[in-house]
Amino acid sequence: MCGIVGYIGKRKAVDVIIDGLKILEYRGYDSAGLSVFDGKKIVTVKKKGFVGELEKNAEGLQGFCGIGHTRWATHGAPSDSNSHPHLSGKFALVHNGIIENFDDIKRQLKEKGKRFLTDTDSEAAVRLIDDMYEGDVLKAVCGAVKKMKGSFAFAILCKDFPDKVFVVKKQSPLVVGLGEGECFVASDCMAFSKYTDKAVYLKDNEVGVVDKDGLSLFDFNLNKKNFRTEKTDIGDDYRLSENCSSFMYKEIFESPKALQYTAADFFADTATQKQVIDIFSKHDKVIMLGCGTAYNACLVGKNVFEKMLDVDCETELASEFRYKNPKVNSNTLVIAVSQSGETADTIAAVKLAKAKGAGIAVITNVRHSSLTRFADVVLHTKAGAEVAVAATKSYLTQTLMFLLVATLLREGSKVSEEIKKQILKLPQTAEQALKFDALMQKYAKKHCQKQSVFFIGRGMDYALAAEGTLKLKEVSYIHSEGFAAGELKHGTLALIDKNALVIAIATQRNVAEKTVNALHEVTARGGKVILLTCFEKLKDTKGAEVILLPQTGGLLMTAPAIIPLQLFAYHMSVERGINPDKPRNLAKSVTVE
Ligand code: F6R
């Protein structure tokens, strides 16, 4: 949440910063701001609204060194003044994270006569640094951060050093890009990947100085630290082509490629396969955890593991797990799922499990993300950059990863060519599912005024219902819930009348007809039903509009079933005049609690 950018070098800083902020808008988009050295002083522009609004107001700003920020409000409503950078004396600062004890810091500084101009926690940080400054910025910053509780990535300018950007990291992500005679700072290397592919991922409790020639890194006691330069590996996925105006739509259509790369990479990576076999052999209980869509992928994972393996397996919401006293020990393997690898709740849950001795496997789409640092095994999904707030192709690759792992564990290191062939056919099935696009648009036109939409299914289909409903509510703002089909009659059926739309999913042979029974309970009460099934014999189900999905076999049905639901959510959003890429109140990478 919140995106940070910094630049020092030979280009016009404002151009690099605006370009970077536009790429990082997925991290928050309620306001944006920047500060640049114009040769004499620090000039700051901040605006409520999208980065485009800031761009109009920052036009013509001169200077080669600066910082910028795109915000997802935590403390203080979105407004010009609450936007970053925050200023104090000689300093300008941008922040991603939360200063939990900001009230205490604020009170102490107020007692010393300092004035505060915003409602944010971040202003407390810059005022504290300014208060501690006696000519040595790093000393002031280290002194200040030692007094702060919470999470932070800062990029800081100081008027006395017009050719430097100071950086600090604790828990929130921060990466420095090293170019030729120029350097970049960002929350995500996508922001500078068009200029350089050399990156240094800061670790927690590191502070640094960035100038045009590179980075110097220290711990919070100002001991110098070495660092490793990594090669970033970003394609062009994070940009929209001229003929596509939505990331969500583009990313749904990238699913076949994402599935293909993830499967091919896994089958080729014998080192990771060995690690997987090894770690599972040491643990007899599995807990899968994640948040939101990643959690929904765990629900699919649990179904896959239970059907394919003889293993004791649970799923947990990471945000709940972290505050429990979970029954976890050295026999437990936690599989944490996170597209971004930066979700604060998931990281906290993993830390807790690790402290109790659990083994940790991480399924993530971002190789150098914070979560991977706690992992014994990293399972890298190859979905490519996902920019839209709603996770689509990444979800599919997460569910595929569970299937790949289960297949490997069942078959041993020599997975037969026949099974590989079946899995490698998935991208083709995803292509077939994308052909439902026009149909889903038609349904969206027909149902976009509905006030409630329910998704039902059993077993694996219930897991898919959970994801279908999340997708719809987050991008269309329609009230929606997912239910185990058998549960309808235990209460929720009371909500069904002629205004309700129910989407039933029936892709699992053993329970499909049971789901159809629930569907009849709905139609008998006047509710409208769309049925997604892969079974020919259900295609004339009375009272339902039936979508006949390609048949791939039970555990491979995630892609063919979920893609039409993602398309439905997308078209519902568009029909309702919403920007599906930037739903209200949300941001993609949830780095705060
Ligand atoms: C919904 C969505 C969120 C994320 C959740 C976890 O479409 O994207 O529910 O799945 O915030 O994010 P990651 O996977 O980055 O940990």
Side-chain angles (χ1 to χ4, degrees), residues 65-86:
C65 178
I67 54 175
H69 187 269
T70 178
R71 180 169 187 245
W72 184 86
T74 57
H75 297 71
S79 68
D80 288 358
S81 70
N82 285 338
S83 310
H84 300 217
H86 292 291

Side-chain angles (χ1 to χ4, degrees), residues 290-295 337-344 346 371 386 388-392 394 398 467 470-471 474 586-590:
C291 296
T293 287
Y295 172 73
V337 182
S338 173
Q339 187 283 130
S340 63
E342 300 295 346
T343 299
T346 310
L371 200 53
E386 190 177 68
V389 164
T392 54
S394 66
Q398 290 161 355
E467 179 56 8
L470 179 60
K471 230 46 354 161
E474 73 179 313
L586 300 179
K588 190 158 186 72
S589 188
V590 188

